[in-house]
Structures are given as structure tokens and as C-alpha cells.
Amino acid sequence: MIKRYRLGNPIKTYATVIDLPVEKETLPDWTIDKESKTLKRTLSKEAIVYGLGETLRGINKRGWTYVSFNSDDSQHMEDKKSLYAAQNYFIIDDEKPVGYYWDTPESVEFDIGRTDIDVFFIKHQELDVDIYVCEAATKKEIVKEFRKLIGLSYIPPKWAFGYGQSRWSYFTADEVRDLVSKYEEQDIPIDSVYLDIDYMDRYKDFTINEKDFPNFNDFVKEMKEKGVHLVPIIDAGVKVEDGYDVYEEGVKNGFFCKKEDGSNLVAAVWPGRAMFPDFLNEEARKWFGDKYKILLDAGIEGFWNDMNEPAIFYTEDHLKEVFEEIEKYKGKNLDIDSFFKFKGIVGDIDNNPEDFKRFFHEFEGKKIRHDKVHNLFGYNMTKSAGEAFKRLSPDKRILMFSRSSFIGMHRYGGIWTGDNKSWWSHLLLSIKQMPALNMCGFLYSGCDLGGFGADTTEDLMLRWLEAGIFNPLYRNHSAMGTRRQELYTFKRVEDFKNIVDLRYAFIPYIYSEFMKAALNGEMYFMPLSFEYSDERVNEIEDQLLVGESIMIAPVYEQNATGRYVYLPEDMKMVRFRSLEDYDEEELTKGDHYVKVGLNELVVFIRPGHVLPIGPKAKNVDDIDYSKIKYLTYKANASDYELYNDDGLTRIQ
Ligand code: MIG
């Protein structure tokens, strides 16, 4: 049972799909201080807080402050409070578990025992919010109820579960051809290659750089014949350039975000001066969405939406102010104060909070200042695409995932977790992030495997491919200037091949469990404590349940040749060295030190459960379901219900 309470007068976010009546009484268990716009609730010593979707830190969110303010911040350090998403759903597991959804586009601060170790403070800017409260016997049921409230999760085409190779950037079609042939030569399966911003003509959305990607349609076809889908990036900012149709149409129809005086906001991103489509305006949303047709017509079947927090390098107005300000420092002796002020003037130019107050949206006949609805921007960009795909491709699923998000967007696309680094700590973070994303409906998600920023190492790359082997989005992506991460560039190519082969062998299970979770509004990745109730599991943050049959316990430390694993019940451990070479061992409930070599992958099968294993495949289409084997533990193969479909027909 979900109850809805309201404070103030919240802006409609369309995060939910069911319109519940607003309760008359006040919100139980929280004290509300209208003056400081803060809600407060005590937490017992044992209370655990789960959720908040894409954030930093642990599965248990206690001990830190998280701020819902979608931010383009590539430094995912422990002291950060915001990433790219606002997913304000959490469960407080105290005497009994209670789920809360904080439906507001406002920037909200969730101080979960940071200021006061025993208190949960929620601080608002405006105190305009719909609060949905759900009580049920278990955390699993609470999540399921919530997912009914927000609607079914986005379902990608099945090929999107294959291995994806990405890099900022592959600069030419030949570079992509070369990459694909190297994967072929090494016999490493692959389903997609991602095109980052350089495939465009000078970073103009929906254009092609004809010089480096000549005869693009033929190229898309040629790759598809090799079983490879090209997935281009789309950025939120539209280049200001006379003669560029997207820009000109946007200006003519008034579809870009405007300043107070009604003129278009000019901001800069990759193309230099750019304008932002007003994704909150229904007509603009439809217009921009229809542009994806240009690439769909070229044979493209998937996209990733980037820079949609939105990221702003600078606004033209602020840049002018900056030049005026620094002028004052010319010829001066920059002492300790003035030097840091000077540095700040220039250094704080990008994603400056003041810039988010300079422009407005046209939302359902009202003009709303951007900072009030900032968290809805990326969501509505992806909604614009998702709605368009339903019109333009009514029968066939299209791959879509976004960097910025808000609950509600989970109906239109997945997410990737943005610019992580090739750090072991980020490998661990990527494990911890998955259950919270799943709670919020973001099932099709994953991190940049191997790490985006900084130089990866061969062992980190391998461990990351192993740790993420069940991530629905399985993409290796890295930044410009960093060490190459294509798998054939490493010395032990054979080990990489074995791991990716295993990924494909798991796809029948991954897809089956993903689809069940998507269709039933459940979680695909779960913390152990959502299933087991002994006290130990409450503290386990580096092991996860994946679907109904298995538990994973990845190795995430450099030079480690094994790790401790806690088994909440007897399980069967399967240690894979390759698809053909594996052994099985029954382990009893309790603690075990498990050896896991760099080239090995361990999976734990729960009693009464079954893990289907597919044969060697070149790509997802090539998986021969008639050759599936079933690994069982105290179960028969027939106990497992394997979901499958054509992987392409649109379901929702
Ligand atoms: O400011 O398009 O998170 O995946 O490679 C960098 C270039 C812009 C950020 C994305 C990253 C992508 C990169 N983009």
C-alpha cells in the first residue's frame, strides 16, 4: 500500500504513472520545520538506508550527505555529494522497512546521519514535494509496489546485452573497421561499437563527418553484416551555426531555452556556442525526438545521450562578466586573497550554478526558471527520444541510455554511470551502485568497464570485466588521452577472450532474469539483505545476488589472488577458467577464503536453483539456445524457467 503526502505545491514531474489521492493527515514519523525547509527523523543504531539510485559510497547510504542536483562532475571522489542523477527513492530499514519516494524536481539534500549520526535530515530549497510512503513486510515487496507506481522499466534490444567497445573517440570509419577485424581475428565476441562525438560534423547533432565517415549508411550496413551495431552519441547542446537546419528550425520555432528577456540562451559545449532545446516543452520535445529519424534511417538502432545535466562550459553572458572581472586584476600584485579569487573567477566558469538561473523553460503554459527543474532536463531529453522511437519504430526496440536521469526516465532508457576512473576503488563502487539503480527502475545500466578516465592496467581491465560480467550494459569505454583499452591491446588476450566468451554464455540467464525483473517490476541485482535475514548480510556490500539463481563476489583489489566470501546458506561454487574448463564445489554456509586467479571467474549457485550456460557465440544473434547446459545445485534443470523472446519486438 502506497500513500501519498504533499508539502507545498510541487511541479509535476511525471515520474509516477498512477495518480494516488493525497492523504489528509500529515506525514508520519518525520518532523517538519517549515522555516528551515527541513524534515527530520531519527534512526536507530541498527537502521540501514538503501537506495538513492546513482550516487557515491555504499549500499547502506548512512553516514553521508547526498544532494539531488544533476551534475556533470568527472571526479567521482568520496567527498562528492552529487553525480548525474536525481533518483530520490530510498528504504529505511529500521524496526520495519519503509519505502519513500521524494517526488520533486528541486535540489534536495539527504543528510543521512552525517551531521548527526542518529538523524536523517532532508533539506529542501522550496519544500514543494509529493512524498510517497510504502510499508510492506519485506524490502522486496516495497520495491515492487514502488515500481508499480512508476511504471515498467525500459527494455533494450537483446543485442545490447552483448559486449560493446567504446572510446572517446574512434575518429574514422577505418579505425572502426580495423577494431572490428581485430576482434574477429582474436575470436572475441562483440555486438556494438560506440561512436563518440567525433563522428559528427563539428559536433553538430544528427550530422555526419563525411570526410572521416564517408557513405555512412553503407558503413552502418557493412558493420551490421559483421554483426556489429554502431551506437552514436547525441549531445544536449545544439551548435549555433547559420545554415545548420537543427539550429535554424529550433530558433524559428522558439524551441530553445530562453533568458528572462525572451532571447535564446547562448551557452558553450563541444561545438562552441550552442543552444539547449527546451525538453520540458512538449512541442520542442517532439521536434528534437523526430531528429533521431535521420540516424534511424541510416540504419542506426541505438544511441547514448550525453551532456544532458545539462553540462555547460560557459554561458556567453557569464563569459562576458568573467572578462570584465579579470580585467580588474591586470597589473596587480596578486596576493594570497586576490590570487585565489582570480583563479576562482576563471576556474568556476563551467557548470556554474548561477548559469542555471539564467534561463527558462516553457512547461505546460508556464515559464519556469531552469534551476527549479534542473533535474528534469536529461530525463526529458531521453523521453524526447523514447517517445520518438515509439512513433518512428513502433515495432522494434531501440537501444537508449543516458548520462543524466530522474525517476520516470527509467521508462524510456537506461543509464551509464558516467566518467569513472581506472581505479580499483571505482571498480568496487560500480558493484555497490547496481542495487540502488535497480530499486529505482534503472535496470538497463552499467559502468564504463576498465574505467573511463586515467590509465587502466591489464589486471584492472580483466577484473572489471569479471566483476561486471552480469551488468546488463557491458561496455568498455575510455577517455581521450588514456591508455588504450581495446581487449586485443593487452598481453593476455586469451584471458580476455575467455571472459567475454563467458559473458556470452551467461546471456541466456542474464536476459531471462533481466526480462523477468523488467516485466514484474523487480530487481535484477539485489543486496544480500533483501533475501536473507541473518545479521551478517546487512553489512555485506561487495557481494550481490543476480537474478534468482546466483550470488557473485567479485575480486576488486589489485594483486589479490582471492578473497573472503560469506555464504548466507550452502551454495555451489563454480570456478570458470573458460567456457569448457570449470569445476564445481559445494560450500557450506559461513565464511570462506576463495582463491580466484586473474583468469578465473567464480559464481555461487543457490540451493534449489539453476544456472543455464550457453555455447560459444560470435555475438548475441549467434547464441544457439538448443545447446544450453544447465548447472544445478539441489535442483533439476527443469526447475528453471528460461525466459526468451526474439529480443527485438517492442514490449512497451
Ligand atoms: O565532457 O563525448 O561521460 O562518456 O566519452 C566529456 C565525450 C563529454 C562525457 C561522457 C563520456 C564521453 C565524453 N563526454
Side-chain angles (χ1 to χ4, degrees):
M1 253 300 279
I2 301 189
K3 287 186 170 180
R4 176 191 198 174
Y5 300 86
R6 173 170 286 181
L7 301 177
N9 187 20
I11 291 167
K12 251 181 126 72
T13 63
Y14 296 96
T16 61
V17 294
I18 297 173
D19 197 19
L20 294 177
V22 175
E23 298 290 324
K24 295 226 164 47
E25 75 265 28
T26 52
L27 176 72
D29 300 325
W30 294 79
T31 5
I32 306 172
D33 178 24
K34 294 219 159 122
E35 208 161 304
S36 65
K37 299 183 172 137
T38 302
L39 289 94
K40 176 180 160 178
R41 192 200 129 132
T42 51
L43 297 172
S44 79
K45 248 206 215 99
E46 293 74 31
I48 298 177
V49 179
Y50 297 94
L52 291 182
E54 182 190 67
T55 47
L56 289 153
R57 299 204 167 214
I59 288 178
N60 183 352
K61 306 315 290 183
R62 259 187 105 151
W64 191 242
T65 296
Y66 307 86
V67 178
S68 279
F69 192 75
N70 295 353
S71 305
D72 164 31
D73 185 338
S74 58
Q75 307 301 316
H76 303 178
M77 321 278 236
E78 208 174 314
D79 61 346
K80 290 297 167 70
K81 295 182 177 146
S82 308
L83 289 177
Y84 313 88
Q87 300 176 13
N88 304 339
Y89 177 64
F90 54 91
I91 291 178
I92 301 181
D93 195 6
D94 213 330
E95 271 104 67
K96 54 180 197 296
V98 186
Y100 292 96
Y101 177 44
W102 231 255
D103 188 7
T104 173
E106 282 185 50
S107 167
V108 183
E109 203 178 296
F110 298 92
D111 177 344
I112 313 181
R114 182 187 70 117
T115 303
D116 178 332
I117 201 162
D118 302 313
V119 183
F120 191 161
F121 293 104
I122 300 186
K123 196 169 176 345
H124 280 253
Q125 305 286 320
E126 309 288 347
L127 211 56
D128 290 323
V129 58
D130 271 330
I131 301 170
Y132 294 87
V133 183
C134 176
E135 289 186 35
T138 66
K139 298 184 274 288
K140 263 163 73 167
E141 281 171 58
I142 290 174
V143 169
K144 210 167 163 169
E145 283 292 307
F146 173 59
R147 299 276 290 286
K148 275 187 216 151
L149 177 70
I150 60 169
L152 283 189
S153 297
Y154 163 78
I155 295 171
K158 194 174 180 184
W159 59 261
F161 291 83
Y163 176 75
Q165 182 62 59
S166 187
R167 172 86 179 172
W168 175 24
S169 277
Y170 298 123
F171 290 96
T172 65
D174 281 341
E175 197 180 344
V176 175
R177 284 192 182 97
D178 181 53
L179 177 162
V180 170
S181 66
K182 291 211 169 95
Y183 273 87
E184 263 171 12
E185 270 162 39
Q186 301 292 342
D187 194 24
I188 303 175
I190 182 166
D191 267 271
S192 51
V193 175
Y194 286 76
L195 300 179
D196 210 318
I197 47 177
D198 298 281
Y199 79 88
M200 292 184 248
D201 173 22
R202 286 166 299 132
Y203 312 125
K204 288 186 287 184
D205 280 337
F206 311 110
T207 67
I208 304 293
N209 162 358
E210 298 282 353
K211 183 175 138 286
D212 298 316
F213 292 86
N215 309 318
F216 189 69
N217 299 18
D218 294 342
F219 177 53
V220 175
K221 208 165 141 219
E222 175 193 330
M223 287 297 115
K224 217 177 289 169
E225 275 158 14
K226 291 185 170 292
V228 172
H229 299 84
L230 296 176
V231 185
I233 195 170
I234 304 293
D235 275 9
V238 170
K239 184 173 169 41
V240 170
E241 186 184 281
D242 289 336
Y244 169 36
D245 54 351
V246 182
Y247 164 71
E248 289 191 338
E249 283 172 28
V251 170
K252 193 175 104 221
N253 296 304
F255 287 154
F256 291 122
C257 293
K258 294 183 186 56
K259 298 195 290 188
E260 179 97 76
D261 66 4
S263 64
N264 291 324
L265 174 89
V266 182
V269 244
W270 291 114
R273 289 200 188 97
M275 288 182 184
F276 293 116
D278 182 0
F279 292 114
L280 272 78
N281 169 343
E282 200 181 335
E283 267 183 83
R285 201 158 64 226
K286 179 166 184 301
W287 161 75
F288 192 84
D290 280 337
K291 294 290 164 210
Y292 286 82
K293 184 169 190 295
I294 297 168
L295 290 159
L296 291 174
D297 287 348
I300 294 295
E301 295 164 305
F303 302 87
W304 45 313
N305 281 347
D306 191 21
M307 305 292 272
N308 51 2
E309 294 69 31
I312 299 182
F313 293 170
Y314 60 83
T315 58
E316 205 157 60
D317 291 339
H318 183 54
L319 188 68
K320 218 161 111 207
E321 291 163 6
V322 166
F323 278 124
E324 279 162 19
E325 257 322 277
I326 56 176
E327 189 66 24
K328 296 182 194 152
Y329 291 77
K330 222 173 177 176
K332 268 198 184 161
N333 170 12
L334 294 188
D335 61 12
I336 182 151
D337 295 329
S338 50
F339 170 69
F340 286 104
K341 269 194 202 136
F342 174 78
K343 205 173 154 197
I345 293 167
V346 182
D348 295 341
I349 194 165
D350 56 333
N351 299 319
N352 191 297
E354 290 306 308
D355 277 338
F356 295 128
K357 297 182 184 159
R358 287 178 201 265
F359 62 103
F360 293 79
H361 296 276
E362 224 16 79
F363 180 59
E364 303 187 338
K366 272 201 242 117
K367 189 166 149 184
I368 304 184
R369 203 171 75 185
H370 175 79
D371 59 321
K372 312 276 180 209
V373 285
H374 173 75
N375 289 337
L376 302 180
F377 191 81
Y379 158 27
N380 280 283
M381 177 185 182
T382 297
K383 183 172 175 179
S384 144
E387 288 174 335
F389 297 156
K390 279 189 193 163
R391 293 192 299 273
L392 303 169
S393 174
D395 304 321
K396 198 175 78 179
R397 303 176 209 167
I398 301 293
L399 170 62
M400 163 53 64
F401 58 91
S402 169
R403 192 170 69 176
S404 186
S405 65
F406 188 87
I407 289 175
M409 200 204 86
H410 71 289
R411 299 191 296 270
Y412 304 98
I415 58 118
W416 91 100
T417 53
D419 299 347
N420 61 3
K421 291 231 161 51
S422 297
W423 293 344
W424 293 87
S425 60
H426 279 180
L427 193 177
L428 177 58
L429 175 66
S430 73
I431 298 167
K432 295 181 182 186
Q433 283 177 322
M434 297 311 286
L437 284 166
N438 277 214
M439 281 171 72
C440 300
F442 289 86
L443 294 180
Y444 188 76
S445 48
C447 59
D448 287 350
L449 299 165
F452 173 75
D455 292 330
T456 201
T457 56
E458 181 151 357
D459 53 346
L460 178 60
M461 188 72 238
L462 203 44
R463 286 296 196 206
W464 216 323
L465 287 173
E466 289 160 7
I469 201 149
F470 291 100
N471 290 3
L473 167 61
Y474 198 61
R475 182 180 75 143
N476 171 351
H477 181 48
S478 58
M480 195 175 283
T482 61
R483 178 179 180 175
R484 302 299 303 202
Q485 282 179 201
E486 293 76 18
L487 303 183
Y488 52 79
T489 61
F490 297 104
K491 193 169 171 200
R492 301 185 190 172
V493 189
E494 195 61 23
D495 291 346
F496 286 97
K497 175 187 138 52
N498 285 337
I499 295 301
V500 182
D501 275 344
L502 280 168
R503 161 68 179 199
Y504 278 77
F506 294 141
I507 285 179
Y509 178 72
I510 294 172
Y511 189 67
S512 173
E513 292 303 305
F514 176 93
M515 290 301 289
K516 288 180 205 167
L519 297 172
N520 303 327
E522 288 167 346
M523 289 164 76
Y524 165 84
F525 276 117
M526 275 200 305
L528 270 50
S529 55
F530 275 48
E531 189 69 42
Y532 301 98
S533 51
D534 69 81
E535 263 172 36
R536 281 289 304 283
V537 293
N538 288 338
E539 292 181 21
I540 293 182
E541 300 231 345
D542 58 357
Q543 303 176 200
L544 296 177
L545 297 169
V546 189
E548 62 169 57
S549 301
I550 62 167
M551 180 182 83
I552 56 166
V555 175
Y556 51 85
E557 271 174 313
Q558 189 153 36
N559 300 320
T561 54
R563 56 161 288 174
Y564 282 97
V565 180
Y566 175 70
L567 265 54
E569 59 183 330
D570 295 354
M571 291 189 186
K572 178 188 271 184
M573 176 171 76
V574 188
R575 175 185 279 107
F576 294 92
R577 278 164 293 275
S578 73
L579 203 42
E580 299 80 33
D581 180 15
Y582 60 88
D583 42 64
E584 305 173 43
E585 185 184 345
E586 288 182 23
L587 296 179
T588 52
K589 173 180 156 87
D591 293 289
H592 295 267
Y593 187 81
V594 174
K595 282 283 201 187
V596 194
L598 207 47
N599 62 337
E600 293 179 325
L601 182 91
V602 292
V603 172
F604 301 85
I605 305 179
R606 298 171 58 189
H609 286 282
V610 178
L611 176 62
I613 306 276
K616 159 82 185 158
K618 277 206 325 273
N619 52 42
V620 169
D621 263 355
D622 185 44
I623 298 172
D624 183 351
Y625 271 66
S626 71
K627 300 219 172 86
I628 290 178
K629 288 189 291 199
Y630 294 87
L631 300 181
T632 59
Y633 181 44
K634 296 185 179 161
N636 301 312
S638 60
D639 295 340
Y640 185 70
E641 193 196 316
L642 183 76
Y643 174 94
N644 195 21
D645 57 23
D646 67 7
L648 214 55
T649 305
R650 184 183 284 283
I651 290 180
Q652 46 102 334

